[in-house]
Amino acid sequence: MKLVAGNSNRPLSEAIADYLDLGLTKTSVRRFADQEIFVEILENVRGEDVFVVQSTSFPANDNLMELLILTDALRRSSAKRITAVLPYFGYARQDRRSSGRTPISAKLVANLITHAGVDRVLTLDLHAGQIQGFFDIPTDNLFAAPVLVRDIKERYAVDNVVVVSPDVGGVVRARALAKRIDAPLAIVDKRRERPGESEVMNIIGSVDGRDCILVDDIVDSGGTLCNAADALLAKGARSVTAYATHGVLSGGAVARIGDSRLKEMVVTDSIQATAAQAQSPKLRTISIAPLMGEAIARTAAEQSVSSLFD
């Protein structure tokens, strides 16, 4: 098989290649003066099983176009099968019509990826599980939970941990993680007054004297998790740590988290860390490269991927 790296997260691609003991396929990705993307595959890929690693994170449109053009170049180079490995699938939050005359952008992007020539998709912690159905090709949605659980067990006495969902929509995700470490569950009752702002109203469950683990799939502005930390500490929590799969961390999120009452914010490297994120004492990154690498190896060998999470 061949492993092709886009430019969205080169360090993760290199870590996956190290896990697989496989060199990255040589490519040339450059831009014309008007910023059009040009791709050239510099190795023979005829008849190969090719995996393209590319998160569609910021700048989302540039990284998406690079993925599509890489796919087209591989398809025209007679690759046998092309699997798009999307550690972070951008546009996933636009998975339904929130009001009249609005798009379902997640479906549109899924169509673009499919029609570009991708045969299979491998992604991580989709914002909503039903997005798998937006693709008309086989799609594996991996879960970062085993990686997060391992880190939690290394750093906390799990008999004093309570897993907390920052909103009602994340209860399924939080319950699954709580089950893995045999911990109780609490829920933050959050009401959003206007877009981009959240107000914590109530805590459902007992957190007094416990170490709270807030679990989410995406942290963007960080406001929800910071507000939830304040509410949990006000209810007697001993400490509050946040775990999120995708650290989008746009705008002033890094500074907001640094000034918050969170003990720590832990994210995976599905999105490449910015310089500000790397320098923040409250932000820590854990790697999903072994998980993604193992899933790629099993896909190439036509073995079960779901058994990774049994």
Side-chain angles (χ1 to χ4, degrees):
M1 65 177 175
K2 296 281 188 179
L3 192 65
V4 174
N7 288 318
S8 68
N9 195 340
R10 190 81 183 187
L12 176 60
S13 299
E14 291 170 352
I16 292 172
D18 288 343
Y19 178 86
L20 293 170
D21 195 21
L22 185 71
L24 291 172
T25 300
K26 294 178 182 178
T27 59
S28 173
V29 181
R30 57 185 187 271
R31 293 175 181 271
F32 294 115
D34 63 354
Q35 297 303 300
E36 282 187 10
I37 299 170
F38 176 78
V39 168
E40 185 176 5
I41 311 299
L42 302 177
E43 294 182 23
N44 179 29
V45 295
R46 183 179 294 272
E48 296 279 2
D49 194 2
V50 183
F51 294 82
V52 183
V53 183
Q54 178 81 330
S55 284
T56 52
S57 50
F58 176 84
N61 298 333
D62 288 357
N63 287 331
L64 175 60
M65 279 305 301
E66 187 178 304
L67 170 65
L68 300 177
I69 295 170
L70 275 168
T71 300
D72 188 73
L74 290 165
R75 184 171 59 84
R76 295 177 189 278
S77 301
S78 300
K80 182 177 70 175
R81 182 174 70 171
I82 302 168
T83 300
V85 181
L86 310 174
Y88 172 68
F89 177 60
Y91 286 100
R93 286 174 285 181
Q94 298 183 46
D95 62 338
R96 64 191 185 282
R97 296 187 69 188
S98 55
S99 60
R101 297 177 295 283
T102 58
I104 304 178
S105 302
K107 173 58 177 171
L108 172 63
V109 172
N111 286 344
L112 289 171
I113 292 171
T114 302
H115 289 294
V118 168
D119 299 296
R120 189 179 196 95
V121 170
L122 191 64
T123 189
L124 178 73
D125 273 350
L126 284 171
H127 185 61
Q130 64 265 23
I131 294 174
Q132 292 176 83
F134 291 1
F135 291 92
D136 296 324
I137 52 179
T139 302
D140 289 312
N141 181 31
L142 308 180
F143 303 102
V147 179
L148 306 184
V149 166
R150 189 180 309 117
D151 191 81
I152 292 168
K153 286 183 175 180
E154 288 174 357
R155 294 173 180 272
Y156 292 92
V158 292
D159 57 349
N160 194 53
V161 163
V162 58
V163 176
V164 184
S165 173
D167 52 36
V168 174
V171 170
V172 173
R173 183 181 307 107
R175 183 185 291 120
L177 191 140
K179 185 177 180 181
R180 283 178 175 268
I181 61 175
D182 194 25
L185 178 69
I187 303 167
V188 178
D189 174 27
K190 179 193 70 177
R191 299 184 187 178
R192 193 179 297 275
E193 300 299 324
R194 57 187 64 85
E197 297 181 13
S198 63
E199 181 181 359
V200 174
M201 303 299 291
N202 195 19
I203 305 297
I204 303 170
S206 175
V207 299
D208 188 32
R210 290 181 173 268
D211 296 309
C212 293
I213 304 295
L214 276 165
V215 180
D216 213 345
D217 62 327
I218 298 172
V219 54
D220 190 348
S221 67
T224 294
L225 295 175
C226 293
N227 290 345
D230 290 340
L232 291 165
L233 290 168
K235 289 290 186 179
R238 188 168 74 173
S239 69
V240 181
T241 301
Y243 280 79
T245 305
H246 308 297
V248 176
L249 299 172
S250 59
V254 173
R256 186 175 295 109
I257 291 165
D259 294 337
S260 74
R261 299 175 70 190
L262 283 167
K263 178 182 177 182
E264 189 179 39
M265 166 78 73
V266 182
V267 296
T268 75
D269 56 354
S270 65
I271 298 173
Q272 186 172 351
T274 62
Q277 181 181 339
Q279 294 168 4
S280 173
K282 280 196 177 182
L283 279 162
R284 182 165 58 86
T285 302
I286 55 179
S287 183
I288 53 162
L291 175 66
M292 302 298 293
E294 184 61 27
I296 288 171
R298 293 188 180 200
T299 300
E302 302 293 347
Q303 296 174 348
S304 172
V305 172
S306 60
S307 60
L308 278 170
F309 311 103
D310 291 342

